[in-house]
Every structure is written in structure tokens, then in C-alpha cells.
């Protein structure tokens, strides 16, 4: 099932070898004749050039975006090379050109929004007419890739925009650099390269999912080990995600955020859309593509489909946004996700999982990691965005305060249902009967050990790790829902989040971040 190359579009090959990363990093420069015009312009583009440390604010050399309206003169002198884009170009060359022109488009249109933003982080108006020397080439390469003509997450700003500093080393964000930049700062580099680093775990995730589906179809005895692979991959994904706090300072996010805004959902910036000059297909009508966003990443959507979280999505406008964002993906990845959805249903994975305590407990652990990822992402929204800007929409055009809670609630509902399934119902009832506290925060070590032993005695098929997963989630699910609601209520009421609420209440663990100065669980409890 799913041999390497089965989902291959020439740039991405979704597999247990590549995961969701491109087959190989794209070239750093577009091909001739683009290198001498587009390539040179991109190298001079960032607000700050040659940034090495935190002192750039006052003394860095300014690039084109660091000088008001300099981008207008630079684009006016850019030749229109649309006719140089030939059918013989490989998908990788087309993708390199897409990245190049998408950067120029966002830089040109959003430079005014960046330059005129207020100290409170309210963005100014963007330009709304994209000159034909950018619009026509961008439209042509976007059509070839099956993408919207806008800066996206996969081909442009994120997964196809990295280069290794040392080819002999791996994809740790410290070993990665951005090929194209807007701000030019290390905070911008760290922010996006953590996303690439996270995706290093995609290959292991796909391998585990492939094995789990095969086990559900043919070999039930292999299901638990396969699920354990998926759980390990999901745990590793979360571990890398937490490095964001070190890689990129929240207070520096506005240095580049304005440049990655999309059109749809951001009427305050773009009005009714962008005119692509000289693109006959659009008939001079405004277009509204969504902006690049981490919500377009593929790891969590894959886990959603595999685990069954998708079946718990509420029917509302927020879920419609989620589905819309998923159309902004490479064709090979969209094919993979569609095939995965069909296979999960065909093999009755949900039923297979619920028939064995170990399988059900491991799936609870997988869904818990999905929750932790989204909850951590919610913390990023609170600290990186809400603490620094008054702009109420995300880069993808979704509403900030309600977007992630929509999916977080779906995770909690699935966890609750899994805990109540026949194979885990006894273990869950034992935990609830023995608990003197409504969360792990109030449980002493001796009480916890006694509870764990009681669960393992009642359900001997559970390992200690599996029993711990059941116990933790039986205690925490309701509490997590309460904390989530308190965060949402606070943000909706004041469009701000109090620092005392920025924490994760899940078995006492916190994201490793010095920004919150939360040294221990007791500190967290006192702050709350």
C-alpha cells in the first residue's frame, strides 16, 4: 500500500521516505533569464539585510522593503518574462518560479500595509493592482501547479523555501535558512524553519498510518504496534513544535506578519480583492485568494482523518473555513488525503480500535497529541498575534478568537467517546470513582500510583503507559474543556488574553518558554 512515488507530482512525493516535504529542496535561484532580474531583486528585497543579532532595529542595512515605496521603482524596472516560461520546464523549476513571483507579489502589494501599521499593530491598506510583469508570470506558473496565484505555505513561504546550512546535517531548524525572506531577521527564519523541522516527522507518521490500516484490514494483532508508531510520531511533532518559543520571539512576529496576509477574510487591508493586471482569465475582476498559514500544513489534518477527529467537526462556518484552507495544497497531497479518508472508512479502523483496550488507549494518546498541538498553536495565537496586533483575522483570513477552539472541542469529544467505549469503560469508571480531584493537578503521587494499579488490575491488557494515558485523559478532558472556554471567553470579551490564562493544563506540562515565567505546576495554579 502506498509505495514510494504513488503520490508524486514532481515536487512533492507523499511517502514514508519524504513525508510531506518536497522530494529535495528547490534551487535557491530561478533559472536564466530569471536569475539576473527576479533573483537579484529577491536578494535585495528584505527589510533588513545581513542581520546577525537582536540589534538590527537601529543599525541594520535596509533592503528594498525597508525603504518606503522603493518596491514600486524596483518592480517598474522588472521585465515581463511571462513568455520565457516554457512547457519544457520541470515541476521543480515551475515551483521555484512560483515561489519567486509569489514573494514579489506579496512584497509589492503589502509593503504599504507594513509601512503604515500603527504601534499597536493595526495594518494599513495594501495596494490592490498587481502589475502585469508579476501578475502574468505568477498566474502562468500557478496554473501549471494547480495553485492560486498567491504566496502559499507549501511552495512559497514554507516547505519549499528552505536550504540546509550544512548538507551533512538534518532538518533541525538551527541548520536551516530561508531562501526568500521579507523581514530578513532570524526571528522570521526561526518561525518558518520550525515548520520544516516539524515535518521531518511526517515520514514516520505516514509509515505508522500505512501499517495501521494494513493491520485493520488483514492482521489485527499488528494494530497496536502500528498505532504506537503513529503515537510516537505525533509526540515527536509536538516536541519540535514547542521549540518555536526559542526559535522566534513573539514580539517580533509583526516584523514580517503583514507580508504573509491573504486577501480573503482581510477586507480591512484589501477591500474587495486584488486586480491581476493583464490576466485575461480574470477579466479585470478582483480576486480573493487566502493567505499562507500553518493551518495548511498536512500533519494534523492527516491525524484528524486517521483518528476520526474529522467526524466530530461541528457543522458551522468555522469548519467551512477549515475545508476551504485544505484546497490550497499540492495536488499530490490532496490525492493522499482523499485516499486516506477512503481507506480509513473502508477498513473500519474506528471499530477495530474500539475492540481492544490497548488499541483504544493508544488512539486516545494520539488524539491527545492532536489536542496538545492545537492547544499549543492556540497559545501561539494568543502570544504572537493577540498580544501584538489589533488585526482580528489570521493570515489565512480566519477569525482569531474562535478558529482553533472549533477543532479543539472536536478532539475533546472524540477522547471522551473513546474513554466510554466498551473496551475502556471499566478503566474510565475506576479512575472517576477513585479521583478526589477533577484534574491531575490535585493528585498526589501515592494516589496516582494506586489509581494506575487499579486500572491495570481491572484491565490487564493495558500496559502501564496505556493505563497512564487513560487515567490522565479521564481526569483532564472535562477540565481542559473548562480552561479552553475560559480562554475563549476572555478573548471575546476584551480582544486580549491575560498572561495568567496562557498555559496548558494537560497533566501538568507546560510549553518550554521563558516568556511566561511559569517555572512549575504550582506557579501555574497560583497564576490561574
Amino acid at each position: 500500500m502506498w509505495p514510494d512515488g504513488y503520490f508524486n507530482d514532481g515536487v512533492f512525493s507523499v511517502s514514508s521516505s519524504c513525508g510531506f516535504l518536497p522530494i529535495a529542496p528547490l534551487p535557491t535561484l530561478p533559472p536564466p533569464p530569471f536569475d539576473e532580474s527576479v533573483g537579484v531583486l529577491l536578494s535585495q528585497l528584505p527589510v533588513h539585510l545581513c542581520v546577525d543579532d537582536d540589534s538590527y532595529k537601529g543599525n541594520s542595512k535596509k533592503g528594498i522593503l525597508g525603504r518606503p515605496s522603493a518596491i514600486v521603482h524596483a518592480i517598474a524596472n522588472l521585465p515581463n518574462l511571462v513568455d520565457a516560461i516554457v512547457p519544457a520546464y520541470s515541476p521543480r523549476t515551475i515551483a521555484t518560479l512560483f515561489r519567486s513571483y509569489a514573494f514579489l507579489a506579496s512584497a509589492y502589494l503589502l509593503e504599504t500595509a507594513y509601512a503604515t501599521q500603527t504601534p499597536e499593530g493595526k495594518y494599513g491598506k495594501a495596494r490592490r493592482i498587481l502589475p502585469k510583469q508579476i501578475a502574468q508570470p505568477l498566474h502562468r506558473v500557478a496554473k501549471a501547479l494547480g495553485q492560486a496565484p498567491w504566496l502559499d505555505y507549501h511552495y512559497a513561504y514554507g516547505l519549499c523555501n528552505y536550504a540546509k546550512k550544512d548538507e551533512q546535517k538534518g532538518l533541525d531548524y538551527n541548520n536551516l535558512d530561508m531562501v526568500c525572506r521579507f523581514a530578513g531577521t532570524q526571528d522570521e527564519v526561526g518561525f518558518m524553519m520550525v515548520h520544516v523541522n516539524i515535518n521531518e516527522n511526517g515520514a514516520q507518521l505516514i509509515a505508522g498510518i500505512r501499517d495501521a490500516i494494513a493491520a485493520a484490514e488483514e492482521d489485527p494483532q499488528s494494530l497496536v504496534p502500528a498505532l504506537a508508531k503513529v503515537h510516537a510520531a505525533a509526540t515527536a511533532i509536538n516536541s519540535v513544535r514547542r521549540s518555536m518559543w526559542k526559535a522566534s520571539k513573539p514580539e517580533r512576529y509583526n516584523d514580517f506578519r503583514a507580508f504573509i496576509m491573504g486577501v480573503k477574510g482581510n477586507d480591512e487591508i484589501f477591500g474587495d480583492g486584488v486586480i491581476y493586471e493583464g490576466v485575461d482569465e480574470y477579466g479585470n475582476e478582483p480576486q480573493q485568494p487566502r493567505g499562507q498559514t500553518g493551518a495548511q500544513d498536512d500533519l494534523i489534518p492527516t491525524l484528524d482523518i486517521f483518528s476520526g477527529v474529522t467526524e466530530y467537526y461541528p457543522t458551522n462556518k468555522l469548519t467551512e473555513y477549515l475545508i476551504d484552507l485544505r484546497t490550497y495544497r499540492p495536488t499530490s497531497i490532496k490525492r493522499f488525503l482523499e485516499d486516506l479518508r477512503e481507506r480509513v472508512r473502508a477498513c473500519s479502523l474506528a471499530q477495530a480500535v474500539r475492540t481492544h483496550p490497548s488499541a483504544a488507549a493508544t488512539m486516545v494518546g494520539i488524539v491527545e497529541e492532536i489536542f496538545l498541538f492545537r492547544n499549543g498553536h492556540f497559545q501561539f495565537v494568543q502570544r504572537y498575534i493577540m498580544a501584538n496586533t489589533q488585526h482580528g483575522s489570521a493570515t489565512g483570513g480566519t477569525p482569531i478568537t474562535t478558529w482553533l477552539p472549533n477543532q479543539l472541542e472536536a478532539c475533546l469529544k472524540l477522547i471522551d467517546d473513546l474513554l466510554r467505549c466498551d473496551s475502556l469503560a471499566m478503566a474510565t469508571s475506576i479512575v472517576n470513582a477513585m479521583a478526589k480531584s477533577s484534574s491531575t493537578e490535585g493528585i498526589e503521587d501515592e494516589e496516582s500510583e494506586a489509581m494506575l494499579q487499579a486500572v491495570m488490575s481491572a484491565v490487564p491488557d493495558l500496559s502501564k503507559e496505556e493505563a497512564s494515558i487513560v487515567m490522565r485523559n479521564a481526569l483532564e478532558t472535562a477540565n481542559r474543556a473548562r480552561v479552553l472556554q475560559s480562554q475563549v471567553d476572555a478573548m471575546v470579551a476584551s480582544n486580549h488574553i491575560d498572561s495568567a490564562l496562557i498555559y496548558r493544563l494537560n497533566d501538568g506540562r507546560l510549553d518550554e518558554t521563558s516568556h511566561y515565567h511559569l517555572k512549575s505546576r504550582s506557579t501555574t495554579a497560583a497564576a490561574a
Side-chain angles (χ1 to χ4, degrees), residues 221-495:
Q221 297 299 317
S222 301
L223 181 57
V224 173
L227 290 172
K229 287 183 184 178
V230 177
H231 186 228
T235 302
I237 287 166
N238 256 321
S239 178
V240 179
R241 177 193 57 74
R242 294 186 187 98
S243 66
M244 181 67 77
W245 300 112
K246 297 178 181 178
S248 184
K249 301 178 187 65
E251 59 270 21
R252 296 282 168 79
Y253 187 39
N254 264 347
D255 292 349
F256 54 91
R257 185 176 185 246
F259 293 111
I260 59 177
M261 302 302 291
V263 183
K264 191 171 185 177
N266 283 302
D267 299 354
E268 291 182 19
I269 298 176
F270 282 104
D272 61 355
V274 170
I275 302 293
Y276 285 74
E277 190 178 69
V279 177
D280 294 338
E281 180 183 335
Y282 297 150
N284 214 38
E285 290 294 320
Q287 302 300 303
Q288 292 192 332
R290 286 199 183 275
Q292 84 82 39
T293 166
Q296 291 166 343
D297 192 79
D298 313 297
L299 297 169
I300 298 303
T302 295
L303 282 164
D304 275 1
I305 294 169
F306 174 74
S307 66
V309 170
T310 50
E311 304 301 321
Y312 291 77
Y313 287 168
T315 303
N316 58 23
K317 196 69 178 177
L318 294 166
T319 297
E320 290 179 23
Y321 293 151
L322 180 68
I323 301 306
D324 188 25
L325 283 171
R326 292 182 179 180
T327 65
Y328 288 75
R329 283 194 166 91
T331 55
S332 58
I333 295 176
K334 287 190 284 190
R335 284 178 50 228
F336 167 79
L337 294 175
E338 290 167 2
D339 191 76
L340 174 62
R341 186 176 293 106
E342 292 174 3
R343 288 180 181 270
V344 165
R345 290 175 178 169
C347 74
S348 300
L349 180 64
Q351 291 87 337
V353 163
R354 285 164 169 79
T355 59
H356 193 283
S358 291
T362 306
M363 185 62 85
V364 169
I366 291 169
V367 181
E368 181 184 29
E369 291 299 330
I370 301 173
F371 172 85
L372 297 183
F373 189 98
R374 285 198 166 109
N375 200 37
H377 189 182
F378 196 32
Q379 290 183 29
F380 293 160
V381 167
Q382 294 163 8
R383 186 63 182 87
Y384 283 74
I385 300 175
M386 295 194 70
N388 296 296
T389 181
Q390 294 180 353
H391 188 74
S393 295
T395 55
T398 56
I400 290 175
T401 56
T402 53
W403 164 247
L404 279 163
N406 192 63
Q407 287 82 258
L408 280 163
E409 290 169 2
C411 294
L412 293 175
K413 288 178 180 178
L414 175 53
I415 288 173
D416 190 57
D417 277 1
L418 286 166
L419 291 172
R420 295 172 186 273
C421 74
D422 290 345
S423 61
L424 291 182
M426 181 178 292
T428 302
S429 64
I430 288 171
V431 173
N432 291 333
M434 295 181 66
K436 298 176 183 177
S437 172
S438 62
S439 78
T440 54
E441 288 286 326
I443 292 181
E444 301 295 334
D445 290 343
E446 290 183 5
E447 182 185 356
S448 176
E449 186 61 30
M451 195 180 297
L452 192 63
Q453 292 303 320
V455 169
M456 293 173 65
S457 296
V459 190
D461 286 334
L462 291 175
S463 68
K464 187 171 184 179
E465 180 182 359
E466 293 160 356
S468 296
I469 290 172
V470 172
M471 186 179 78
R472 179 172 64 245
N473 282 275
L475 289 167
E476 289 290 358
T477 299
N479 204 41
R480 286 167 174 166
R482 286 193 295 271
V483 172
L484 175 63
Q485 189 59 52
S486 71
Q487 292 176 328
V488 173
D489 290 345
M491 288 192 294
V492 170
S494 64
N495 199 32

Side-chain angles (χ1 to χ4, degrees), residues 92-208:
R92 284 170 51 77
T93 299
I94 293 293
T96 304
L97 288 171
F98 177 86
R99 179 185 66 197
S100 302
Y101 277 104
F103 257 84
L104 293 182
S106 290
Y108 177 83
L109 294 172
L110 285 159
E111 183 263 343
T112 51
Y114 166 81
T116 59
Q117 66 180 306
T118 67
E120 296 78 25
K122 190 172 181 62
Y123 307 129
K125 301 291 185 182
R127 298 184 177 93
R128 295 186 52 234
I129 299 176
L130 188 62
K132 62 183 178 181
Q133 59 267 42
I134 304 176
Q136 290 179 331
L138 176 57
H139 176 260
R140 179 166 294 185
V141 293
K143 290 278 285 186
L145 293 172
Q147 300 300 302
W150 196 257
L151 186 86
D152 81 325
Y153 174 80
H154 289 85
Y155 289 105
Y157 198 56
L159 303 188
C160 283
N161 192 31
Y162 80 91
K164 287 185 177 182
K165 297 176 183 177
D166 185 338
E167 287 293 335
Q168 304 306 312
K169 295 181 179 179
L171 294 177
D172 183 280
Y173 75 88
N174 289 301
N175 189 45
L176 301 178
D177 202 354
M178 291 178 76
V179 175
C180 300
R181 309 182 189 184
F182 289 117
T185 64
Q186 291 304 312
D187 291 291
E188 180 183 20
V189 174
F191 184 84
M192 282 315 299
M193 294 303 96
V194 166
H195 289 76
V196 176
N197 195 174
I198 289 171
N199 270 274
E200 188 174 20
N201 297 289
Q204 180 188 1
L205 176 65
I206 291 172

